[in-house]
Amino acid sequence: MARNRRDSLICQLTTCFAVVVLLGTLCLILSPDPRPDWSRVVRRAETSRDLDTCESRDSHQLAVVVPFRDRFEELLEFIPHMNRYLCRKKIRHKIIVVNQIDSLRFNRASLINIGFLIGESLSCDYIAMHDVDLLPLNDELNYSYPASGPFHIAAPNLHPMYHYSKYVGGILLMTNADFRKTNGLSNKFWGWGREDDEFYLRMIENNLQIYRPTGIKTGDKTFKHLHNDMRRPRDNFQYGDQKAKSTRDHLTGLNTTAYTIETKNNIVINGSTALTVGVRLVCKIRETPWCTTPGQLESYLGELKNSISPQLYGDLLKDMEKFKMIGPVINAPSNS
């Protein structure tokens, strides 16, 4: 009797182990490798041939600025797609991937400001603020120099997700002069969303007329949207008084973006070249304590301790305590 019970228990354990192994195998098959071997498809540019650009129809050069963090699968598709797409249209261009490598919350606007300055230093005379997860599919879209004013390619009637009239995110073209006229984007928007809504106000206040594509008949099939909310949920939380203070910003912009450049590499993906720039943003903690989460704020202050005065460090600790007591996390509006 005891032997039968033992044999039954062994059988049950063996069955459970087999199920676990099967489920684990399926997960490996269906899920991407968390640490894929990028060297198979990505390499550093080594010769001048690697840096050759495509044929151009005029003297202008476009800086395709991609604010970026931890989205390598999208980047592997984005760089070759955009290079081929722009070369077909004879648009001389440089793809500049601005990669935020610090531990702060993502700041799309600051990364665009940095990318603009890099593009300007590379003789680009206009910019495309371009999300990495949005690929143009219709060759009738216009990426030419926007002499008349800002040109919003990812228009509300064409974007797969965002359809409100003041939306200017996704893909926006501007001349360098117009971008400088607005002083770039606000640096106060940490986390996901709303920086493009504030930028819309900057353009309007500077009397810049926003143009959009006409005659495009592909509707919401005009772009391929690569984002997966399940795999990469957006950081759309707001902490403390972030919402109240993240409205129209007349204080920060291109001329106040604080950062250091840690790395610069020209890379080649499937024959297409891009410049990747690793940047570390600097948070002005008293102005935007929501640049990190309340739980990580103390750690961030610890990193600053040796580079600031004891008096300032003490003041920041007091500010941190106030920030922690302001209130709970609230969700950001879903349409920004």
Side-chain angles (χ1 to χ4, degrees):
M1 188 72 175
R3 181 175 180 178
N4 289 339
R5 285 199 299 270
R6 185 189 66 185
D7 291 345
S8 176
L9 179 60
I10 291 173
C11 182
Q12 291 175 23
L13 290 173
T14 302
T15 302
C16 288
F17 178 77
V19 170
V20 169
V21 170
L22 177 60
L23 289 174
T25 303
L26 286 173
C27 287
L28 288 173
I29 293 172
L30 298 175
S31 301
D33 183 352
R35 290 181 297 177
D37 182 9
W38 302 115
S39 64
R40 296 177 183 176
V41 290
V42 181
R43 64 179 177 85
R44 287 190 180 184
E46 298 172 349
T47 67
S48 59
R49 183 181 179 86
D50 286 328
L51 302 178
D52 287 345
T53 58
C54 51
E55 181 182 352
S56 175
R57 63 185 180 189
D58 57 34
S59 61
H60 297 294
Q61 181 166 245
L62 170 65
V64 181
V65 174
V66 185
F68 180 83
R69 174 188 265 174
D70 297 335
R71 301 182 71 170
F72 291 102
E73 291 90 347
E74 288 93 334
L75 195 65
L76 289 176
E77 185 170 355
F78 179 88
I79 290 174
H81 178 94
M82 287 307 303
N83 183 59
R84 291 192 297 265
Y85 180 87
L86 293 172
C87 283
R88 281 200 308 271
K89 299 172 73 63
K90 297 184 179 180
I91 301 292
R92 193 158 60 107
H93 65 279
K94 292 187 181 297
I95 299 174
I96 303 168
V97 181
V98 189
N99 181 21
Q100 184 176 338
I101 62 175
D102 54 62
S103 60
L104 299 171
R105 299 173 73 196
F106 189 63
N107 191 320
R108 176 179 180 269
S110 291
L111 299 181
I112 290 173
N113 287 341
I114 296 167
F116 169 82
L117 293 171
I118 295 170
E120 196 174 51
S121 72
L122 296 174
S123 301
C124 297
D125 57 351
Y126 69 118
I127 178 177
M129 295 162 257
H130 213 302
D131 287 351
V132 72
D133 60 5
L134 204 59
L135 305 181
L137 301 177
N138 189 326
D139 279 353
E140 294 181 11
L141 294 170
N142 187 1
Y143 276 76
S144 300
Y145 184 79
S148 299
F151 189 72
H152 185 214
I153 293 179
N157 64 314
L158 302 177
H159 195 283
M161 291 183 64
Y162 306 115
H163 311 297
Y164 59 101
S165 62
K166 296 181 180 180
Y167 175 68
V168 291
I171 310 169
L172 178 67
L173 269 59
M174 294 182 77
T175 66
N176 287 7
D178 283 345
F179 191 83
R180 283 194 169 278
K181 191 174 183 180
T182 65
N183 193 25
L185 283 78
S186 167
N187 296 306
K188 287 189 174 183
F189 291 84
W190 300 86
W192 178 78
R194 301 184 67 207
E195 77 289 329
D196 48 356
D197 293 341
E198 198 275 346
F199 192 55
Y200 171 86
L201 297 176
R202 291 184 178 220
M203 290 188 285
I204 296 302
E205 289 180 9
N206 282 280
N207 299 312
L208 294 174
Q209 182 175 345
I210 302 167
Y211 295 88
R212 288 182 167 128
T214 58
I216 302 297
K217 299 178 181 179
T218 44
D220 60 6
K221 305 294 190 230
T222 303
F223 303 97
K224 180 178 180 180
H225 194 221
L226 302 174
H227 185 77
N228 186 322
D229 283 329
M230 295 295 293
R231 290 180 58 194
R232 290 187 178 84
R234 291 185 171 100
D235 174 13
N236 61 350
F237 295 111
Q238 296 184 6
Y239 299 94
D241 56 353
Q242 178 179 359
K243 184 175 181 179
K245 291 185 177 179
S246 299
T247 53
R248 179 66 179 96
D249 173 20
H250 293 90
L251 299 177
T252 77
L254 182 65
N255 63 346
T256 65
T257 306
Y259 64 98
T260 58
I261 292 179
E262 303 290 328
T263 61
K264 269 188 179 184
N265 291 294
N266 283 296
I267 63 169
V268 181
I269 301 177
N270 293 332
S272 296
T273 304
L275 172 64
T276 62
V277 184
V279 301
R280 194 175 299 277
L281 300 181
V282 177
C283 172
K284 297 180 179 179
I285 204 79
R286 306 191 82 167
E287 298 174 11
T288 57
W290 53 82
C291 64
T292 184
T293 64
Q296 294 176 326
L297 186 55
E298 189 168 1
S299 174
Y300 181 69
L301 289 179
E303 295 175 12
L304 297 178
K305 185 174 182 179
N306 295 327
S307 60
I308 58 178
S309 69
Q311 177 64 45
L312 178 57
Y313 180 69
D315 291 341
L316 290 176
L317 285 177
K318 293 177 184 178
D319 290 343
M320 181 187 72
E321 291 305 316
K322 294 177 184 176
F323 174 59
K324 284 183 176 181
M325 295 171 59
I326 286 174
V329 174
I330 53 177
N331 283 319
S334 59
N335 67 341
S336 57

